[in-house]
Amino acid sequence: MDKLIIDTDPGVDDSMALQFALASKEFHILGITTVFGNVDIEQTTKNALRILHLAQRADIPVAKGASKPVYGEFLGGVPFVHGDDGQGNTWRPAGPLKPIDIGAEEFIIEQVLRYPNQVRLAALGPLTNLARALEKKPEIQDKVKEVVFMGGNAFCPGNATPAAEANMLSDPEAADRVLGANWPMTMVGLDVTHKTLLSRDTLNKISLFRSPLNDFVMEAYQFYQDFFMKANKIDGTFVHDSSVFAYLIDRSLYKTVEYPIRVETQHSISRGKTWPSLGETDHEGAKALEPWRNRPKIKICLDVEDKKVIQLLEQRLMQ
Ligand code: BDR
Ligand code: CA
């Protein structure tokens, strides 16, 4: 079983991703760390706790994390995508669970040092907590087994802006630091999540499975689905955050390439864009271009067996 810390900003699709991970025997979830993102940190933390309550998994600790990016302020998130409560305006009461006393970055550091080279970090939101943990204890980069994050767009347009994906745009400086650290990393970005469609028909089928957690997530999905219908004219939703767990469960479903990545941190129309380099050498005999020089190679998911991912997700959500 893979020891996992899930860093998340629930978020409707984060909630489904948590449901997916909780239903998967491949993972031993050491804890959940929360971050601002889709909505503010108070709400994302409440939402993570509610998911665990509904799943009857009070044994999994939740550590509350960053309320704003490493520079600047939280700008209000994306309530038009996820609802004002981040859960499709379902407005369920907060459950009885509470966060633990230490914060997200301390929790990450503590667990990584306790289990050297065993912990994978699955990041489903802005990379602020990871950047702060790295800043506080740089040595964790040699002790984390792997970082797999949902975010970025290597060879396709963004979703938050024409250039950038939402998680990267929420904290580009943090993302650029995390993507420059010396730990094994995989980017599960829009290159694959925009190829993976959870159709309304499949969602209707999943809704037939009754459990407190599934009922809640399916209710929240109504709002999320309406957003995709309005914004993307699709009858279903793209599979963003759950794709991280599909990748961790079965890597053969994804085709990857490896490049160093820089994140645009200028306050320009391209802010938050993830730029892969052209590779080791940009042309024969030339050295790697300066901004990417000495940066680690990151596995970038480029293609996906989308139908198999949907089958896997459907099967796990319905158990
Ligand atoms: C990402 O942005 C958030 O809105 C989703 O939860 C996902 O993590 C997709 O771009
Ligand atoms: Ca998310």
PDB file of all heavy atoms in Angstrom, residues 267-305:
ATOM      1  N   HIS A 267       3.473  39.044 -14.079  1.00  0.00           N
ATOM      2  CA  HIS A 267       2.061  39.474 -14.050  1.00  0.00           C
ATOM      3  C   HIS A 267       1.650  39.884 -15.466  1.00  0.00           C
ATOM      4  O   HIS A 267       1.402  41.040 -15.750  1.00  0.00           O
ATOM      5  CB  HIS A 267       1.869  40.595 -13.034  1.00  0.00           C
ATOM      6  CG  HIS A 267       1.983  40.087 -11.635  1.00  0.00           C
ATOM      7  ND1 HIS A 267       0.895  39.692 -10.889  1.00  0.00           N
ATOM      8  CD2 HIS A 267       3.074  39.829 -10.870  1.00  0.00           C
ATOM      9  CE1 HIS A 267       1.308  39.236  -9.720  1.00  0.00           C
ATOM     10  NE2 HIS A 267       2.625  39.321  -9.687  1.00  0.00           N
ATOM     11  N   SER A 268       1.608  38.863 -16.309  1.00  0.00           N
ATOM     12  CA  SER A 268       1.313  39.095 -17.718  1.00  0.00           C
ATOM     13  C   SER A 268       0.063  38.289 -18.083  1.00  0.00           C
ATOM     14  O   SER A 268      -0.484  37.571 -17.242  1.00  0.00           O
ATOM     15  CB  SER A 268       2.482  38.595 -18.575  1.00  0.00           C
ATOM     16  OG  SER A 268       2.510  37.175 -18.522  1.00  0.00           O
ATOM     17  N   ILE A 269      -0.341  38.348 -19.332  1.00  0.00           N
ATOM     18  CA  ILE A 269      -1.503  37.550 -19.731  1.00  0.00           C
ATOM     19  C   ILE A 269      -1.192  36.052 -19.692  1.00  0.00           C
ATOM     20  O   ILE A 269      -2.101  35.232 -19.769  1.00  0.00           O
ATOM     21  CB  ILE A 269      -2.041  37.933 -21.136  1.00  0.00           C
ATOM     22  CG1 ILE A 269      -0.956  37.833 -22.195  1.00  0.00           C
ATOM     23  CG2 ILE A 269      -2.706  39.301 -21.111  1.00  0.00           C
ATOM     24  CD1 ILE A 269      -1.479  38.002 -23.616  1.00  0.00           C
ATOM     25  N   SER A 270       0.080  35.696 -19.553  1.00  0.00           N
ATOM     26  CA  SER A 270       0.459  34.275 -19.502  1.00  0.00           C
ATOM     27  C   SER A 270       0.716  33.782 -18.089  1.00  0.00           C
ATOM     28  O   SER A 270       1.166  32.647 -17.898  1.00  0.00           O
ATOM     29  CB  SER A 270       1.720  34.037 -20.337  1.00  0.00           C
ATOM     30  OG  SER A 270       1.520  34.481 -21.634  1.00  0.00           O
ATOM     31  N   ARG A 271       0.439  34.590 -17.082  1.00  0.00           N
ATOM     32  CA  ARG A 271       0.726  34.189 -15.686  1.00  0.00           C
ATOM     33  C   ARG A 271       0.137  32.800 -15.406  1.00  0.00           C
ATOM     34  O   ARG A 271      -1.013  32.512 -15.730  1.00  0.00           O
ATOM     35  CB  ARG A 271       0.142  35.236 -14.729  1.00  0.00           C
ATOM     36  CG  ARG A 271       0.459  34.975 -13.269  1.00  0.00           C
ATOM     37  CD  ARG A 271       0.212  36.226 -12.425  1.00  0.00           C
ATOM     38  NE  ARG A 271       0.210  35.929 -10.994  1.00  0.00           N
ATOM     39  CZ  ARG A 271       1.311  35.759 -10.245  1.00  0.00           C
ATOM     40  NH1 ARG A 271       2.503  35.873 -10.800  1.00  0.00           N
ATOM     41  NH2 ARG A 271       1.209  35.486  -8.960  1.00  0.00           N
ATOM     42  N   GLY A 272       0.956  31.933 -14.807  1.00  0.00           N
ATOM     43  CA  GLY A 272       0.500  30.592 -14.430  1.00  0.00           C
ATOM     44  C   GLY A 272       0.690  29.532 -15.512  1.00  0.00           C
ATOM     45  O   GLY A 272       0.475  28.352 -15.255  1.00  0.00           O
ATOM     46  N   LYS A 273       1.146  29.941 -16.689  1.00  0.00           N
ATOM     47  CA  LYS A 273       1.349  28.943 -17.764  1.00  0.00           C
ATOM     48  C   LYS A 273       2.521  28.029 -17.406  1.00  0.00           C
ATOM     49  O   LYS A 273       3.573  28.505 -16.954  1.00  0.00           O
ATOM     50  CB  LYS A 273       1.606  29.693 -19.087  1.00  0.00           C
ATOM     51  CG  LYS A 273       2.263  28.882 -20.191  1.00  0.00           C
ATOM     52  CD  LYS A 273       1.341  27.849 -20.826  1.00  0.00           C
ATOM     53  CE  LYS A 273       2.110  27.028 -21.865  1.00  0.00           C
ATOM     54  NZ  LYS A 273       1.672  25.640 -21.979  1.00  0.00           N
ATOM     55  N   THR A 274       2.367  26.729 -17.567  1.00  0.00           N
ATOM     56  CA  THR A 274       3.473  25.780 -17.366  1.00  0.00           C
ATOM     57  C   THR A 274       4.171  25.569 -18.709  1.00  0.00           C
ATOM     58  O   THR A 274       3.550  25.104 -19.667  1.00  0.00           O
ATOM     59  CB  THR A 274       2.937  24.424 -16.867  1.00  0.00           C
ATOM     60  OG1 THR A 274       1.765  24.073 -17.607  1.00  0.00           O
ATOM     61  CG2 THR A 274       2.592  24.461 -15.385  1.00  0.00           C
ATOM     62  N   TRP A 275       5.460  25.910 -18.718  1.00  0.00           N
ATOM     63  CA  TRP A 275       6.235  25.794 -19.961  1.00  0.00           C
ATOM     64  C   TRP A 275       7.244  24.656 -19.874  1.00  0.00           C
ATOM     65  O   TRP A 275       8.230  24.773 -19.161  1.00  0.00           O
ATOM     66  CB  TRP A 275       7.006  27.090 -20.245  1.00  0.00           C
ATOM     67  CG  TRP A 275       6.181  28.206 -20.798  1.00  0.00           C
ATOM     68  CD1 TRP A 275       5.923  29.405 -20.206  1.00  0.00           C
ATOM     69  CD2 TRP A 275       5.535  28.241 -22.080  1.00  0.00           C
ATOM     70  NE1 TRP A 275       5.141  30.170 -21.028  1.00  0.00           N
ATOM     71  CE2 TRP A 275       4.882  29.486 -22.191  1.00  0.00           C
ATOM     72  CE3 TRP A 275       5.440  27.329 -23.150  1.00  0.00           C
ATOM     73  CZ2 TRP A 275       4.149  29.854 -23.309  1.00  0.00           C
ATOM     74  CZ3 TRP A 275       4.700  27.700 -24.261  1.00  0.00           C
ATOM     75  CH2 TRP A 275       4.072  28.942 -24.328  1.00  0.00           C
ATOM     76  N   PRO A 276       7.025  23.562 -20.619  1.00  0.00           N
ATOM     77  CA  PRO A 276       8.080  22.555 -20.698  1.00  0.00           C
ATOM     78  C   PRO A 276       9.218  23.107 -21.557  1.00  0.00           C
ATOM     79  O   PRO A 276       8.972  23.925 -22.444  1.00  0.00           O
ATOM     80  CB  PRO A 276       7.410  21.374 -21.412  1.00  0.00           C
ATOM     81  CG  PRO A 276       6.076  21.835 -21.862  1.00  0.00           C
ATOM     82  CD  PRO A 276       5.867  23.259 -21.467  1.00  0.00           C
ATOM     83  N   SER A 277      10.433  22.672 -21.283  1.00  0.00           N
ATOM     84  CA  SER A 277      11.549  23.098 -22.144  1.00  0.00           C
ATOM     85  C   SER A 277      11.486  22.280 -23.421  1.00  0.00           C
ATOM     86  O   SER A 277      10.620  21.420 -23.583  1.00  0.00           O
ATOM     87  CB  SER A 277      12.881  22.843 -21.462  1.00  0.00           C
ATOM     88  OG  SER A 277      13.198  21.470 -21.579  1.00  0.00           O
ATOM     89  N   LEU A 278      12.432  22.512 -24.279  1.00  0.00           N
ATOM     90  CA  LEU A 278      12.468  21.714 -25.507  1.00  0.00           C
ATOM     91  C   LEU A 278      13.220  20.418 -25.281  1.00  0.00           C
ATOM     92  O   LEU A 278      13.422  19.651 -26.198  1.00  0.00           O
ATOM     93  CB  LEU A 278      13.133  22.513 -26.625  1.00  0.00           C
ATOM     94  CG  LEU A 278      12.340  23.743 -27.060  1.00  0.00           C
ATOM     95  CD1 LEU A 278      13.178  24.583 -28.011  1.00  0.00           C
ATOM     96  CD2 LEU A 278      11.050  23.339 -27.731  1.00  0.00           C
ATOM     97  N   GLY A 279      13.672  20.186 -24.061  1.00  0.00           N
ATOM     98  CA  GLY A 279      14.398  18.942 -23.786  1.00  0.00           C
ATOM     99  C   GLY A 279      15.817  19.226 -23.364  1.00  0.00           C
ATOM    100  O   GLY A 279      16.183  20.368 -23.092  1.00  0.00           O
ATOM    101  N   GLU A 280      16.636  18.185 -23.294  1.00  0.00           N
ATOM    102  CA  GLU A 280      18.036  18.304 -22.894  1.00  0.00           C
ATOM    103  C   GLU A 280      18.749  19.344 -23.725  1.00  0.00           C
ATOM    104  O   GLU A 280      19.405  20.234 -23.231  1.00  0.00           O
ATOM    105  CB  GLU A 280      18.760  16.971 -23.132  1.00  0.00           C
ATOM    106  CG  GLU A 280      18.553  15.905 -22.086  1.00  0.00           C
ATOM    107  CD  GLU A 280      19.376  16.141 -20.863  1.00  0.00           C
ATOM    108  OE1 GLU A 280      20.566  15.764 -20.904  1.00  0.00           O
ATOM    109  OE2 GLU A 280      18.855  16.684 -19.880  1.00  0.00           O
ATOM    110  N   THR A 281      18.597  19.191 -25.024  1.00  0.00           N
ATOM    111  CA  THR A 281      19.191  20.159 -25.945  1.00  0.00           C
ATOM    112  C   THR A 281      18.083  20.649 -26.846  1.00  0.00           C
ATOM    113  O   THR A 281      17.253  19.873 -27.287  1.00  0.00           O
ATOM    114  CB  THR A 281      20.280  19.497 -26.808  1.00  0.00           C
ATOM    115  OG1 THR A 281      19.690  18.394 -27.462  1.00  0.00           O
ATOM    116  CG2 THR A 281      21.450  19.044 -25.985  1.00  0.00           C
ATOM    117  N   ASP A 282      18.035  21.932 -27.085  1.00  0.00           N
ATOM    118  CA  ASP A 282      16.956  22.446 -27.914  1.00  0.00           C
ATOM    119  C   ASP A 282      17.245  22.179 -29.385  1.00  0.00           C
ATOM    120  O   ASP A 282      16.348  22.044 -30.186  1.00  0.00           O
ATOM    121  CB  ASP A 282      16.673  23.912 -27.628  1.00  0.00           C
ATOM    122  CG  ASP A 282      17.914  24.732 -27.478  1.00  0.00           C
ATOM    123  OD1 ASP A 282      18.922  24.175 -26.974  1.00  0.00           O
ATOM    124  OD2 ASP A 282      17.917  25.895 -27.843  1.00  0.00           O
ATOM    125  N   HIS A 283      18.514  22.111 -29.756  1.00  0.00           N
ATOM    126  CA  HIS A 283      18.885  21.563 -31.063  1.00  0.00           C
ATOM    127  C   HIS A 283      20.300  21.056 -30.939  1.00  0.00           C
ATOM    128  O   HIS A 283      20.980  21.316 -29.942  1.00  0.00           O
ATOM    129  CB  HIS A 283      18.727  22.573 -32.212  1.00  0.00           C
ATOM    130  CG  HIS A 283      19.457  23.859 -31.969  1.00  0.00           C
ATOM    131  ND1 HIS A 283      20.777  24.032 -32.229  1.00  0.00           N
ATOM    132  CD2 HIS A 283      19.002  25.035 -31.441  1.00  0.00           C
ATOM    133  CE1 HIS A 283      21.124  25.269 -31.913  1.00  0.00           C
ATOM    134  NE2 HIS A 283      20.071  25.885 -31.429  1.00  0.00           N
ATOM    135  N   GLU A 284      20.718  20.328 -31.914  1.00  0.00           N
ATOM    136  CA  GLU A 284      21.970  19.575 -31.757  1.00  0.00           C
ATOM    137  C   GLU A 284      23.128  20.434 -31.247  1.00  0.00           C
ATOM    138  O   GLU A 284      23.414  21.487 -31.779  1.00  0.00           O
ATOM    139  CB  GLU A 284      22.349  18.952 -33.108  1.00  0.00           C
ATOM    140  CG  GLU A 284      23.214  17.724 -32.905  1.00  0.00           C
ATOM    141  CD  GLU A 284      23.566  17.091 -34.230  1.00  0.00           C
ATOM    142  OE1 GLU A 284      22.695  17.091 -35.116  1.00  0.00           O
ATOM    143  OE2 GLU A 284      24.701  16.643 -34.344  1.00  0.00           O
ATOM    144  N   GLY A 285      23.732  19.987 -30.174  1.00  0.00           N
ATOM    145  CA  GLY A 285      24.903  20.689 -29.662  1.00  0.00           C
ATOM    146  C   GLY A 285      24.572  21.873 -28.771  1.00  0.00           C
ATOM    147  O   GLY A 285      25.420  22.362 -28.049  1.00  0.00           O
ATOM    148  N   ALA A 286      23.357  22.328 -28.776  1.00  0.00           N
ATOM    149  CA  ALA A 286      23.026  23.507 -27.952  1.00  0.00           C
ATOM    150  C   ALA A 286      22.718  23.072 -26.533  1.00  0.00           C
ATOM    151  O   ALA A 286      22.204  21.992 -26.301  1.00  0.00           O
ATOM    152  CB  ALA A 286      21.832  24.233 -28.543  1.00  0.00           C
ATOM    153  N   LYS A 287      23.040  23.901 -25.596  1.00  0.00           N
ATOM    154  CA  LYS A 287      22.713  23.615 -24.206  1.00  0.00           C
ATOM    155  C   LYS A 287      21.231  23.903 -23.957  1.00  0.00           C
ATOM    156  O   LYS A 287      20.621  24.677 -24.689  1.00  0.00           O
ATOM    157  CB  LYS A 287      23.556  24.522 -23.295  1.00  0.00           C
ATOM    158  CG  LYS A 287      25.026  24.173 -23.311  1.00  0.00           C
ATOM    159  CD  LYS A 287      25.366  23.329 -22.086  1.00  0.00           C
ATOM    160  CE  LYS A 287      26.682  22.616 -22.237  1.00  0.00           C
ATOM    161  NZ  LYS A 287      27.800  23.550 -22.316  1.00  0.00           N
ATOM    162  N   ALA A 288      20.681  23.281 -22.923  1.00  0.00           N
ATOM    163  CA  ALA A 288      19.291  23.580 -22.568  1.00  0.00           C
ATOM    164  C   ALA A 288      19.151  25.087 -22.340  1.00  0.00           C
ATOM    165  O   ALA A 288      20.077  25.740 -21.862  1.00  0.00           O
ATOM    166  CB  ALA A 288      18.905  22.827 -21.306  1.00  0.00           C
ATOM    167  N   LEU A 289      18.022  25.603 -22.693  1.00  0.00           N
ATOM    168  CA  LEU A 289      17.817  27.048 -22.563  1.00  0.00           C
ATOM    169  C   LEU A 289      17.909  27.468 -21.101  1.00  0.00           C
ATOM    170  O   LEU A 289      17.496  26.733 -20.205  1.00  0.00           O
ATOM    171  CB  LEU A 289      16.455  27.415 -23.142  1.00  0.00           C
ATOM    172  CG  LEU A 289      16.316  27.137 -24.642  1.00  0.00           C
ATOM    173  CD1 LEU A 289      14.864  27.213 -25.064  1.00  0.00           C
ATOM    174  CD2 LEU A 289      17.167  28.099 -25.448  1.00  0.00           C
ATOM    175  N   GLU A 290      18.426  28.652 -20.872  1.00  0.00           N
ATOM    176  CA  GLU A 290      18.788  29.088 -19.517  1.00  0.00           C
ATOM    177  C   GLU A 290      17.689  28.936 -18.457  1.00  0.00           C
ATOM    178  O   GLU A 290      17.947  28.357 -17.392  1.00  0.00           O
ATOM    179  CB  GLU A 290      19.312  30.530 -19.587  1.00  0.00           C
ATOM    180  CG  GLU A 290      20.237  30.912 -18.442  1.00  0.00           C
ATOM    181  CD  GLU A 290      19.487  31.165 -17.148  1.00  0.00           C
ATOM    182  OE1 GLU A 290      18.347  31.708 -17.220  1.00  0.00           O
ATOM    183  OE2 GLU A 290      20.006  30.813 -16.089  1.00  0.00           O
ATOM    184  N   PRO A 291      16.449  29.373 -18.695  1.00  0.00           N
ATOM    185  CA  PRO A 291      15.464  29.273 -17.590  1.00  0.00           C
ATOM    186  C   PRO A 291      15.198  27.843 -17.132  1.00  0.00           C
ATOM    187  O   PRO A 291      14.745  27.629 -16.017  1.00  0.00           O
ATOM    188  CB  PRO A 291      14.192  29.887 -18.195  1.00  0.00           C
ATOM    189  CG  PRO A 291      14.669  30.721 -19.341  1.00  0.00           C
ATOM    190  CD  PRO A 291      15.887  30.025 -19.880  1.00  0.00           C
ATOM    191  N   TRP A 292      15.492  26.861 -17.988  1.00  0.00           N
ATOM    192  CA  TRP A 292      15.220  25.463 -17.642  1.00  0.00           C
ATOM    193  C   TRP A 292      16.493  24.726 -17.199  1.00  0.00           C
ATOM    194  O   TRP A 292      16.429  23.583 -16.807  1.00  0.00           O
ATOM    195  CB  TRP A 292      14.604  24.730 -18.844  1.00  0.00           C
ATOM    196  CG  TRP A 292      13.224  25.206 -19.180  1.00  0.00           C
ATOM    197  CD1 TRP A 292      12.057  24.700 -18.700  1.00  0.00           C
ATOM    198  CD2 TRP A 292      12.874  26.270 -20.058  1.00  0.00           C
ATOM    199  NE1 TRP A 292      10.993  25.394 -19.221  1.00  0.00           N
ATOM    200  CE2 TRP A 292      11.468  26.365 -20.056  1.00  0.00           C
ATOM    201  CE3 TRP A 292      13.602  27.180 -20.844  1.00  0.00           C
ATOM    202  CZ2 TRP A 292      10.774  27.318 -20.825  1.00  0.00           C
ATOM    203  CZ3 TRP A 292      12.918  28.119 -21.598  1.00  0.00           C
ATOM    204  CH2 TRP A 292      11.517  28.180 -21.583  1.00  0.00           C
ATOM    205  N   ARG A 293      17.625  25.422 -17.287  1.00  0.00           N
ATOM    206  CA  ARG A 293      18.900  24.762 -17.003  1.00  0.00           C
ATOM    207  C   ARG A 293      18.936  24.318 -15.538  1.00  0.00           C
ATOM    208  O   ARG A 293      18.499  25.042 -14.652  1.00  0.00           O
ATOM    209  CB  ARG A 293      20.053  25.733 -17.284  1.00  0.00           C
ATOM    210  CG  ARG A 293      21.365  25.025 -17.499  1.00  0.00           C
ATOM    211  CD  ARG A 293      22.412  25.990 -18.041  1.00  0.00           C
ATOM    212  NE  ARG A 293      22.117  26.423 -19.406  1.00  0.00           N
ATOM    213  CZ  ARG A 293      22.581  27.540 -19.950  1.00  0.00           C
ATOM    214  NH1 ARG A 293      23.339  28.358 -19.267  1.00  0.00           N
ATOM    215  NH2 ARG A 293      22.271  27.836 -21.201  1.00  0.00           N
ATOM    216  N   ASN A 294      19.425  23.110 -15.298  1.00  0.00           N
ATOM    217  CA  ASN A 294      19.520  22.546 -13.938  1.00  0.00           C
ATOM    218  C   ASN A 294      18.171  22.341 -13.253  1.00  0.00           C
ATOM    219  O   ASN A 294      18.115  22.209 -12.040  1.00  0.00           O
ATOM    220  CB  ASN A 294      20.397  23.423 -13.031  1.00  0.00           C
ATOM    221  CG  ASN A 294      21.792  23.542 -13.581  1.00  0.00           C
ATOM    222  OD1 ASN A 294      22.310  22.581 -14.157  1.00  0.00           O
ATOM    223  ND2 ASN A 294      22.391  24.704 -13.445  1.00  0.00           N
ATOM    224  N   ARG A 295      17.115  22.358 -14.018  1.00  0.00           N
ATOM    225  CA  ARG A 295      15.806  22.049 -13.411  1.00  0.00           C
ATOM    226  C   ARG A 295      15.535  20.556 -13.610  1.00  0.00           C
ATOM    227  O   ARG A 295      15.943  19.971 -14.611  1.00  0.00           O
ATOM    228  CB  ARG A 295      14.698  22.860 -14.109  1.00  0.00           C
ATOM    229  CG  ARG A 295      14.857  24.361 -13.971  1.00  0.00           C
ATOM    230  CD  ARG A 295      14.152  24.913 -12.775  1.00  0.00           C
ATOM    231  NE  ARG A 295      12.715  24.712 -12.851  1.00  0.00           N
ATOM    232  CZ  ARG A 295      11.848  25.283 -12.020  1.00  0.00           C
ATOM    233  NH1 ARG A 295      12.283  26.068 -11.050  1.00  0.00           N
ATOM    234  NH2 ARG A 295      10.552  25.062 -12.122  1.00  0.00           N
ATOM    235  N   PRO A 296      14.845  19.923 -12.663  1.00  0.00           N
ATOM    236  CA  PRO A 296      14.612  18.476 -12.776  1.00  0.00           C
ATOM    237  C   PRO A 296      13.615  18.164 -13.896  1.00  0.00           C
ATOM    238  O   PRO A 296      12.761  18.991 -14.220  1.00  0.00           O
ATOM    239  CB  PRO A 296      13.986  18.134 -11.425  1.00  0.00           C
ATOM    240  CG  PRO A 296      13.339  19.394 -10.982  1.00  0.00           C
ATOM    241  CD  PRO A 296      14.199  20.512 -11.482  1.00  0.00           C
ATOM    242  N   LYS A 297      13.769  16.979 -14.440  1.00  0.00           N
ATOM    243  CA  LYS A 297      12.785  16.537 -15.432  1.00  0.00           C
ATOM    244  C   LYS A 297      11.516  16.091 -14.720  1.00  0.00           C
ATOM    245  O   LYS A 297      11.583  15.439 -13.680  1.00  0.00           O
ATOM    246  CB  LYS A 297      13.338  15.371 -16.226  1.00  0.00           C
ATOM    247  CG  LYS A 297      14.320  15.797 -17.281  1.00  0.00           C
ATOM    248  CD  LYS A 297      14.666  14.588 -18.121  1.00  0.00           C
ATOM    249  CE  LYS A 297      15.546  14.969 -19.266  1.00  0.00           C
ATOM    250  NZ  LYS A 297      15.953  13.789 -20.034  1.00  0.00           N
ATOM    251  N   ILE A 298      10.404  16.425 -15.305  1.00  0.00           N
ATOM    252  CA  ILE A 298       9.107  16.073 -14.714  1.00  0.00           C
ATOM    253  C   ILE A 298       8.355  15.211 -15.719  1.00  0.00           C
ATOM    254  O   ILE A 298       8.350  15.507 -16.923  1.00  0.00           O
ATOM    255  CB  ILE A 298       8.317  17.365 -14.411  1.00  0.00           C
ATOM    256  CG1 ILE A 298       9.063  18.168 -13.346  1.00  0.00           C
ATOM    257  CG2 ILE A 298       6.887  17.048 -13.968  1.00  0.00           C
ATOM    258  CD1 ILE A 298       8.511  19.527 -13.069  1.00  0.00           C
ATOM    259  N   LYS A 299       7.758  14.141 -15.227  1.00  0.00           N
ATOM    260  CA  LYS A 299       6.916  13.331 -16.124  1.00  0.00           C
ATOM    261  C   LYS A 299       5.646  14.124 -16.405  1.00  0.00           C
ATOM    262  O   LYS A 299       4.958  14.551 -15.471  1.00  0.00           O
ATOM    263  CB  LYS A 299       6.521  12.014 -15.462  1.00  0.00           C
ATOM    264  CG  LYS A 299       7.587  10.977 -15.443  1.00  0.00           C
ATOM    265  CD  LYS A 299       6.926   9.584 -15.302  1.00  0.00           C
ATOM    266  CE  LYS A 299       7.939   8.487 -15.446  1.00  0.00           C
ATOM    267  NZ  LYS A 299       8.750   8.297 -14.221  1.00  0.00           N
ATOM    268  N   ILE A 300       5.334  14.268 -17.666  1.00  0.00           N
ATOM    269  CA  ILE A 300       4.128  15.015 -18.055  1.00  0.00           C
ATOM    270  C   ILE A 300       3.169  14.041 -18.727  1.00  0.00           C
ATOM    271  O   ILE A 300       3.529  13.397 -19.726  1.00  0.00           O
ATOM    272  CB  ILE A 300       4.481  16.138 -19.052  1.00  0.00           C
ATOM    273  CG1 ILE A 300       5.493  17.098 -18.443  1.00  0.00           C
ATOM    274  CG2 ILE A 300       3.224  16.875 -19.507  1.00  0.00           C
ATOM    275  CD1 ILE A 300       6.058  18.116 -19.421  1.00  0.00           C
ATOM    276  N   CYS A 301       1.992  13.880 -18.178  1.00  0.00           N
ATOM    277  CA  CYS A 301       1.003  13.010 -18.829  1.00  0.00           C
ATOM    278  C   CYS A 301       0.501  13.691 -20.100  1.00  0.00           C
ATOM    279  O   CYS A 301       0.022  14.827 -20.062  1.00  0.00           O
ATOM    280  CB  CYS A 301      -0.169  12.738 -17.890  1.00  0.00           C
ATOM    281  SG  CYS A 301       0.296  11.728 -16.493  1.00  0.00           S
ATOM    282  N   LEU A 302       0.656  12.951 -21.185  1.00  0.00           N
ATOM    283  CA  LEU A 302       0.369  13.543 -22.502  1.00  0.00           C
ATOM    284  C   LEU A 302      -0.865  12.932 -23.131  1.00  0.00           C
ATOM    285  O   LEU A 302      -1.599  13.578 -23.862  1.00  0.00           O
ATOM    286  CB  LEU A 302       1.585  13.241 -23.384  1.00  0.00           C
ATOM    287  CG  LEU A 302       1.852  14.126 -24.553  1.00  0.00           C
ATOM    288  CD1 LEU A 302       2.090  15.531 -24.056  1.00  0.00           C
ATOM    289  CD2 LEU A 302       3.085  13.603 -25.295  1.00  0.00           C
ATOM    290  N   ASP A 303      -1.065  11.666 -22.851  1.00  0.00           N
ATOM    291  CA  ASP A 303      -2.206  10.967 -23.436  1.00  0.00           C
ATOM    292  C   ASP A 303      -2.742   9.945 -22.451  1.00  0.00           C
ATOM    293  O   ASP A 303      -2.021   9.539 -21.534  1.00  0.00           O
ATOM    294  CB  ASP A 303      -1.780  10.263 -24.731  1.00  0.00           C
ATOM    295  CG  ASP A 303      -2.836  10.505 -25.794  1.00  0.00           C
ATOM    296  OD1 ASP A 303      -4.018  10.692 -25.430  1.00  0.00           O
ATOM    297  OD2 ASP A 303      -2.483  10.506 -26.987  1.00  0.00           O
ATOM    298  N   VAL A 304      -4.003   9.560 -22.675  1.00  0.00           N
ATOM    299  CA  VAL A 304      -4.668   8.736 -21.669  1.00  0.00           C
ATOM    300  C   VAL A 304      -5.627   7.764 -22.336  1.00  0.00           C
ATOM    301  O   VAL A 304      -6.231   8.083 -23.356  1.00  0.00           O
ATOM    302  CB  VAL A 304      -5.419   9.659 -20.669  1.00  0.00           C
ATOM    303  CG1 VAL A 304      -6.368  10.619 -21.359  1.00  0.00           C
ATOM    304  CG2 VAL A 304      -6.167   8.872 -19.613  1.00  0.00           C
ATOM    305  N   GLU A 305      -5.747   6.597 -21.739  1.00  0.00           N
ATOM    306  CA  GLU A 305      -6.797   5.655 -22.175  1.00  0.00           C
ATOM    307  C   GLU A 305      -8.056   6.043 -21.402  1.00  0.00           C
ATOM    308  O   GLU A 305      -8.364   5.465 -20.355  1.00  0.00           O
ATOM    309  CB  GLU A 305      -6.364   4.227 -21.863  1.00  0.00           C
ATOM    310  CG  GLU A 305      -5.120   3.851 -22.655  1.00  0.00           C
ATOM    311  CD  GLU A 305      -5.050   2.362 -22.911  1.00  0.00           C
ATOM    312  OE1 GLU A 305      -6.102   1.739 -23.188  1.00  0.00           O
ATOM    313  OE2 GLU A 305      -3.955   1.833 -22.799  1.00  0.00           O
TER     314      GLU A 305
END
